[in-house]
Amino acid sequence: MKNAVLTITPNPSLDISGFVDRIIPNEKTYVQDEAHAPGGNAINVARILCRLKVPVVASGFLGGAAGYEVASLLKKENIRQHFIAIKEPTRTNVTISSRHHHQQTRLSFSGPRIEPREKDQLSRFVRSQHHMGILVIGGSLPPNFSVRDLTGFISIAQKKNASVVIDCPGAILRHLTKHKLLLIKPNLEEFQLMTQSRVRTLSAVKKKALQLLQSVSYVCVSSVEGGALLVTSSGCFFGRIPRVKIRSTVGAGDSMVGAMVAQLFKGNSSASDILRWGLAAAAATLSEEGTTLGSASQIEELYKKTVVIEVS
């Protein structure tokens, strides 16, 4: 029985966030309301899945004091985890928000080098996951970690008849769409990079996304004409988030992926409904400050206000 989702974050981070009244160049700026959160696309997907009562195991690489804190923060959220301990420390990313207009400065570092034996340990762990129904791989890649390493995980999952979801930057996605995937969710800029095109309109993005359906079951492109487009073999659907006060953009895309994966895991076959849940989760996180993700109750409430239409 396939009864769990496994997420792999190759390059997790400890996300430190805070607020300032203003930033003056060459002057010391005091940051208030410091908060720490686990970071990384697939880690955030796991956090949303857990909130939506989907069984999930978070994995990847963690090292040093920052890695220990990430693991501790995930434990507080009751997320099952199995990270490979690495020699070099996990990166720390910084998000600073303005109190007045909620604009953000985000500093993201490259991350630790992953040694060959550490990669092998993660591969062995993935092979041991006999109850994996969906594998989610998300985020950037650390130094000396390649797309070939990702394809190794994809191959292991597919040999176990598990579906694969990829939530990585466009340059990485471009090399992975030849594999049979369940879902990808690039934003428009990532989609342009992935397809090496300049498409911008809903119709142009739809036409280009349709070409990917031979290898990808669900192609979701966000930030298209103020909304998101989901292209499937059963139809194409478009929707926008309900009206919310946007306080932060951190984790909104990851939340969208998490909610969509939750519906796919539960066997929801309605593409329009899957997109509707995704948009609701994105809106829930957009309404939170700093690096906080939306709650299950917020997602459920915003789902009721989200409208999705079919695109002919």
Side-chain angles (χ1 to χ4, degrees), residues 124-187:
R124 287 197 296 271
F125 172 69
V126 178
R127 288 192 187 95
S128 73
Q129 298 305 288
H130 304 299
H131 302 299
M132 172 176 51
I134 298 177
L135 171 65
V136 180
I137 302 175
S140 62
L141 302 185
N144 84 316
F145 196 92
S146 68
V147 170
R148 180 178 295 181
D149 294 314
L150 293 188
T151 60
F153 297 135
I154 294 172
S155 177
I156 294 170
Q158 291 176 337
K159 286 178 181 177
K160 293 178 174 293
N161 296 317
S163 300
V164 178
V165 173
I166 304 293
D167 183 26
C168 292
I172 299 172
L173 272 177
R174 185 158 56 90
H175 299 287
L176 298 177
T177 50
K178 62 182 179 181
H179 298 276
K180 191 67 177 177
L181 303 176
L182 176 61
L183 166 69
I184 60 173
K185 195 220 68 66
N187 59 32

Side-chain angles (χ1 to χ4, degrees), residues 3-289:
N3 57 8
V5 176
L6 174 66
T7 71
I8 293 179
T9 308
N11 200 14
S13 63
L14 174 63
D15 285 356
I16 299 179
S17 63
F19 294 84
V20 297
D21 293 323
R22 59 176 177 167
I23 295 178
I24 303 175
N26 302 316
E27 294 288 340
K28 183 182 290 186
T29 301
Y30 290 94
V31 182
Q32 301 164 340
D33 297 332
E34 179 181 332
H36 292 200
N41 291 32
I43 281 180
N44 286 336
V45 168
R47 296 170 69 198
I48 290 293
L49 287 170
C50 186
R51 294 172 194 203
L52 296 177
K53 308 301 182 185
V54 172
V56 60
V57 178
S59 189
F61 305 103
L62 290 176
Y68 177 83
E69 186 170 356
V70 168
S72 298
L73 290 166
L74 290 172
K75 185 177 181 180
K76 287 181 180 178
E77 295 189 34
N78 297 314
I79 296 174
R80 293 167 58 200
Q81 56 185 294
H82 184 101
F83 285 90
I84 304 304
I86 58 174
K87 183 177 179 180
E88 295 192 7
T90 294
R91 62 185 177 147
T92 298
N93 291 341
V94 180
T95 299
I96 303 299
S97 303
S98 165
R99 284 199 185 279
H100 302 296
H101 45 64
H102 295 289
Q103 289 184 338
Q104 295 176 313
T105 298
R106 300 169 64 178
L107 304 176
S108 183
F109 296 87
S110 60
R113 292 179 60 84
I114 310 299
E115 296 184 355
R117 63 177 180 80
E118 295 164 346
K119 297 178 188 179
D120 291 340
Q121 282 181 271
L122 184 54
S123 293
R124 287 197 296 271
F125 172 69
V126 178
R127 288 192 187 95
S128 73
Q129 298 305 288
H130 304 299
H131 302 299
M132 172 176 51
I134 298 177
L135 171 65
V136 180
I137 302 175
S140 62
L141 302 185
N144 84 316
F145 196 92
S146 68
V147 170
R148 180 178 295 181
D149 294 314
L150 293 188
T151 60
F153 297 135
I154 294 172
S155 177
I156 294 170
Q158 291 176 337
K159 286 178 181 177
K160 293 178 174 293
N161 296 317
S163 300
V164 178
V165 173
I166 304 293
D167 183 26
C168 292
I172 299 172
L173 272 177
R174 185 158 56 90
H175 299 287
L176 298 177
T177 50
K178 62 182 179 181
H179 298 276
K180 191 67 177 177
L181 303 176
L182 176 61
L183 166 69
I184 60 173
K185 195 220 68 66
N187 59 32
L188 179 59
E189 183 179 349
E190 291 170 333
F191 186 75
Q192 291 171 337
L193 182 59
M194 183 186 78
T195 58
Q196 297 183 301
S197 67
R198 295 183 178 180
V199 293
R200 298 191 65 84
T201 65
L202 193 63
S203 59
V205 171
K206 174 188 169 184
K207 183 177 180 180
K208 186 65 70 172
L210 284 168
Q211 299 173 10
L212 299 171
L213 291 183
Q214 288 186 342
S215 58
V216 185
S217 299
Y218 294 84
V219 180
C220 183
V221 186
S222 60
S223 304
V224 182
E225 295 189 12
L229 173 70
L230 179 61
V231 176
T232 75
S233 59
S234 62
C236 303
F237 304 89
F238 178 78
R240 296 185 175 93
I241 65 169
R243 186 181 296 274
V244 295
K245 183 175 181 179
I246 297 177
R247 294 182 170 87
S248 171
T249 59
V250 178
D254 308 336
S255 299
M256 186 173 186
V257 173
M260 294 176 77
V261 170
Q263 293 304 306
L264 290 165
F265 181 83
K266 293 174 182 178
N268 191 341
S269 59
S270 169
S272 62
D273 201 48
I274 291 168
L275 177 59
R276 191 177 166 193
W277 278 106
L279 288 165
T285 294
L286 286 166
S287 67
E288 292 286 350
E289 293 184 332

